[in-house]
Amino acid sequence: LLAAPAALGQGRRRRPPPPQSPLEKVSAQAELRLPQLTGRWFLVGVASRCRHLAEQSHRLEATAVTVTVPDGQSLGISTFRKLDGMCWEIRQCYLPARAHGRFLLKGRGHGSRVDVVVGDTDYSSYAILYYQKGRSVSVKLYGRASQVSDAVVDRFEQHVRAVGLSEDVTYYFPTYGFCDSADEFHILDGEL
């Protein structure tokens, strides 16, 4: 009987710690200066296991983004792209997260949260951002011009490999046919 309480305690198992989020391993840009991210950017490439992107990669449209810093700590993102020949603007707000260089994009509905990390930028020619929804991670390369240097592409591809993605799931966007604006009937606020 004296040994029974000790034996009972041994039967309990501790829960394993929750699996580490893929983005927890990603370092944010050191000393990120948000005002220097403002202005126009062009989406150059995306690495993602997204099935829709793989199936529709032949229909990629030139995509431009305008970044603002409305309150000194959030990023206002306006994405301009064509859909069925019409220019659309999608407005989003990346809210500051726990750590500098990390943001949260809240969508509508359960499970629509997206974690965002500004991983690498020189502010003047490229920015590499990571996005995570659920356990799925994607990496995006933005350029101040629609084309970037081979050295920047190599840097992007290193970031892609670092999160377990490959060139098989990396897509490059057209460098022409950008939208500069959208009329009031083609603006989406806060949509993913």
Side-chain angles (χ1 to χ4, degrees):
L1 282 176
L2 292 175
L8 289 174
Q10 290 175 353
R12 286 190 189 156
R13 290 190 180 154
R14 288 190 171 172
R15 278 191 192 161
Q20 188 179 30
S21 157
L23 280 195
E24 288 177 23
K25 302 175 204 163
V26 172
S27 298
Q29 171 80 21
E31 300 177 29
L32 181 64
R33 297 181 300 277
L34 293 183
Q36 291 188 343
L37 284 177
T38 61
R40 189 162 166 95
W41 293 89
F42 299 91
L43 182 56
V44 176
V46 174
S48 175
R49 287 195 181 95
C50 170
R51 189 176 345 157
H52 177 77
L53 185 60
E55 292 169 357
Q56 300 297 319
S57 63
H58 63 285
R59 298 181 66 196
L60 294 178
E61 291 283 357
T63 302
V65 172
T66 301
V67 177
T68 59
V69 183
D71 59 8
Q73 56 186 359
S74 300
L75 294 176
I77 308 292
S78 286
T79 302
F80 296 91
R81 63 177 298 248
K82 286 183 184 166
L83 184 61
D84 296 328
M86 295 294 302
C87 286
W88 285 81
E89 177 183 359
I90 303 162
R91 296 177 182 167
Q92 298 171 311
C93 184
Y94 295 5
L95 302 170
R98 305 178 297 283
H100 196 63
R102 294 178 181 271
F103 299 89
L104 173 63
L105 172 60
K106 293 182 181 178
R108 296 194 174 114
H110 179 71
S112 60
R113 150 196 178 121
V114 179
D115 293 296
V116 182
V117 177
V118 179
D120 189 9
T121 183
D122 68 354
Y123 305 100
S124 61
S125 65
Y126 75 92
I128 297 170
L129 276 69
Y130 294 84
Y131 296 81
Q132 179 179 324
K133 183 174 182 178
R135 304 285 302 159
S136 178
V137 173
S138 59
V139 186
K140 293 184 180 183
L141 171 62
Y142 294 92
R144 288 290 188 183
S146 60
Q147 295 180 317
V148 295
S149 70
D150 290 343
V152 168
V153 171
D154 290 344
R155 193 173 187 108
F156 169 61
E157 290 175 351
Q158 288 172 4
H159 283 271
V160 166
R161 287 189 298 273
V163 292
L165 297 173
S166 68
E167 61 194 36
D168 296 345
V169 294
T170 302
Y171 307 93
Y172 291 94
F173 281 67
T175 58
Y176 57 87
F178 293 95
C179 293
D180 293 318
S181 63
D183 65 40
E184 62 183 298
F185 302 108
H186 294 90
I187 296 174
L188 300 173
D189 278 311
E191 295 289 325
L192 286 177

